[in-house]
Amino acid sequence: MSVTATRKGGPPAAAEKPAKQRYLAVDGLRGVCALALLFTHVAMIAGVLGTKELGGTIASTSAVGGFFTGGLQIFAGVFFVLTGMFVYQGFAKSVINGTPRKREGTVIRRVLRLLPAYYVMYFVVLIALNLQQIDSVWDVFRPLALLHIYDWDGWSNGMEITWTVPDMAQFYLLLPLLAWATFKFASRGETARARAYRMMLPVPLLFAAGIAWLLYSQMNGLGTRALFWYPMGLMPEVAIGMVIAIWLELQKASPNEAPKLLTFAGRHRVLFLGIALTCLLINCARPGSEIGMDDYYSLTALGIFYGLLAILSASLLLSMVAPGPESRVIRAVFTNRVILFVGKISYGVYLWQFAVMHFYLQKPNAYFNGEPMPLMLIRAGTGFWELQLVTLVGTIILSTISYYVLERPLMNWGERVIKRRAARKAAAALPRQREESVPV
């Protein structure tokens, strides 16, 4: 039960739990997604998931394990929906409310959040696992410039999962450009609703680009790596995040014009969680492909996966952020202390999991100037639960160190820099405001 308060001269205040409380569940969602991906990647290397990447078909070592772990890859798409929502929400708020957007610190926050932890991890695996692969300065510079996703022959040990970092960086650049391109058109809308829906102009274009890339990449035999490791394949997920961002800001500016789906999701959070769970189980069954394998082997299977990915991501996020009564299920699953802590360090969990598996599975003489093997060539060399425990514990330890020693101090420093800049700008503007206020 919630109590509605009304603000004088404005729309009703939020009757439900505050936005910050709702977004707490999003932090937990990050933790769930990071753990799900760790689980499925361990399953790949332990042999629980089968593969066709090594010449011929190598079947799963566990029918039940292969079924469940094979579907967890879908959670990678959730991170891109979150990117679309959080990056675009500031632009949506500015246009829908007709107010200037606060730009201070946007670039600093994104750079400090994404790159320092990535560079530390890169230099660790470069020195420990990849010295023997360095033939030129380009081999070292390519991952620094976030260009390694475009050169598969140069992939480095421990860097297998880092295709998302360049993708995120490119979306950080793309989304402000899309907002800028639609700003004048959207701002001309006479009502908040009109401005909101004009802001959605890029959404169908992103969906079309994603579907076009799906067809092109598969018809030309580029495989699923090209489909998802290049940013074009994840444009539909980013577009979903943009839509949710626009809906949320429209609901704040004009509650009576809030999209019905957003309002419905806020009243039926568990239903939307159920939809997401259903999509997950369908993906585990791999329609159009093969159960228990680490990839999708037909255009039909990838098309189905594309649809499931979109529905699961949208359903999960709407169940978290839609205004409405609180859900005990969401509170229990996504805002308990353990999962919130994992969500806090989730970027490190994501970055370090393959490095930890390398450190555990490689022979001792393979490090530094030795010759470490790619993980796919030493897969199935240990039990799943053993590798899962080692990878989970090792990743949590490294991620915690990364967060408290590097990530949080840098982000706190960035906030201090942002505040000083804002203070200087305000101080510089004060004399001009005084001059303008003096009557002539």
Side-chain angles (χ1 to χ4, degrees), residues 316-332:
L316 271 179
L317 196 53
L318 284 171
S319 73
M320 307 287 166
V321 302
E326 183 178 347
S327 165
R328 292 181 180 178
V329 175
I330 288 181
R331 184 175 60 191

Side-chain angles (χ1 to χ4, degrees), residues 50-121:
T51 188
K52 292 185 179 181
E53 291 191 13
L54 303 177
T57 299
I58 301 176
S60 166
T61 59
S62 170
V64 175
F67 174 84
F68 285 106
T69 58
L72 296 178
Q73 299 173 23
I74 199 169
F75 283 103
V78 177
F79 287 111
F80 289 89
V81 177
L82 290 174
T83 295
M85 186 185 82
F86 283 116
V87 174
Y88 214 65
Q89 198 163 3
F91 299 110
K93 180 178 181 179
S94 171
V95 171
I96 291 170
N97 293 306
T99 57
R101 180 173 176 268
K102 295 181 179 180
R103 296 183 175 86
E104 290 84 358
T106 302
V107 174
I108 292 176
R109 289 189 183 100
R110 291 174 190 166
V111 169
L112 292 178
R113 187 72 189 94
L114 190 69
L115 294 182
Y118 163 75
Y119 284 143
V120 168
M121 188 278 298

Side-chain angles (χ1 to χ4, degrees), residues 111-133:
V111 169
L112 292 178
R113 187 72 189 94
L114 190 69
L115 294 182
Y118 163 75
Y119 284 143
V120 168
M121 188 278 298
Y122 166 59
F123 280 116
V124 169
V125 298
L126 174 69
I127 294 170
L129 299 168
N130 295 288
L131 287 178
Q132 78 288 345
Q133 294 185 15

Side-chain angles (χ1 to χ4, degrees), residues 130-185:
N130 295 288
L131 287 178
Q132 78 288 345
Q133 294 185 15
I134 299 174
D135 296 320
S136 66
V137 173
W138 176 243
D139 291 334
V140 177
F141 179 74
R142 182 174 52 236
L144 290 175
L146 306 182
L147 297 174
H148 54 293
I149 60 171
Y150 301 108
D151 186 356
W152 294 350
D153 293 335
W155 273 97
S156 303
N157 292 323
M159 299 284 288
E160 293 89 346
I161 202 171
T162 58
W163 59 270
T164 56
V165 178
D167 279 7
M168 289 290 184
Q170 290 172 78
F171 283 124
Y172 285 169
L173 296 174
L174 175 64
L175 289 172
L177 290 176
L178 292 176
W180 173 81
T182 58
F183 176 79
K184 288 185 178 180
F185 173 71

Side-chain angles (χ1 to χ4, degrees), residues 137-382:
V137 173
W138 176 243
D139 291 334
V140 177
F141 179 74
R142 182 174 52 236
L144 290 175
L146 306 182
L147 297 174
H148 54 293
I149 60 171
Y150 301 108
D151 186 356
W152 294 350
D153 293 335
W155 273 97
S156 303
N157 292 323
M159 299 284 288
E160 293 89 346
I161 202 171
T162 58
W163 59 270
T164 56
V165 178
D167 279 7
M168 289 290 184
Q170 290 172 78
F171 283 124
Y172 285 169
L173 296 174
L174 175 64
L175 289 172
L177 290 176
L178 292 176
W180 173 81
T182 58
F183 176 79
K184 288 185 178 180
F185 173 71
S187 298
R188 294 192 186 106
E190 295 183 359
T191 64
R193 179 182 176 86
R195 292 190 291 274
Y197 282 92
R198 285 183 174 218
M199 280 206 77
M200 293 186 190
L201 180 63
V203 169
L205 301 178
L206 292 177
F207 268 95
I211 294 171
W213 180 245
L214 166 66
L215 296 173
Y216 175 84
S217 63
Q218 300 314 299
M219 289 179 178
N220 288 275
L222 299 181
T224 52
R225 286 184 177 179
L227 174 58
F228 293 113
W229 289 4
Y230 290 6
M232 295 83 76
L234 288 156
M235 284 183 175
E237 279 59 61
V238 173
I240 291 170
M242 293 166 61
V243 170
I244 293 175
I246 293 168
W247 283 358
L248 289 172
E249 292 306 322
L250 175 59
Q251 189 276 335
K252 294 175 188 176
S254 182
N256 294 332
E257 295 181 306
K260 293 182 179 179
L261 182 60
L262 183 68
T263 305
F264 184 79
R267 294 198 304 264
H268 302 281
R269 300 185 192 279
V270 176
L271 172 62
F272 277 69
L273 281 180
I275 293 172
L277 179 60
T278 301
C279 291
L280 173 62
L281 292 175
I282 294 173
N283 189 51
C284 289
R286 294 296 178 101
S289 188
E290 300 177 39
I291 296 175
M293 302 298 286
D294 64 357
D295 209 340
Y296 300 85
Y297 302 111
S298 70
L299 181 59
T300 299
L302 283 168
I304 294 172
F305 175 73
Y306 236 48
L308 293 172
L309 177 59
I311 297 170
L312 177 140
S313 301
S315 299
L316 271 179
L317 196 53
L318 284 171
S319 73
M320 307 287 166
V321 302
E326 183 178 347
S327 165
R328 292 181 180 178
V329 175
I330 288 181
R331 184 175 60 191
V333 175
F334 295 98
T335 65
N336 63 78
R337 290 185 178 182
V338 174
I339 206 64
L340 284 176
F341 176 76
V342 177
K344 182 186 295 185
I345 64 170
S346 59
Y347 186 46
V349 172
Y350 191 78
L351 284 177
W352 283 101
Q353 54 189 264
F354 271 91
V356 171
M357 284 190 279
H358 273 283
F359 294 148
Y360 185 66
L361 295 175
Q362 298 287 352
K363 294 180 180 179
N365 60 359
Y367 299 113
F368 303 106
N369 287 322
E371 295 184 359
M373 298 284 287
L375 278 179
M376 286 301 290
L377 297 184
I378 53 177
R379 67 188 298 274
T382 188

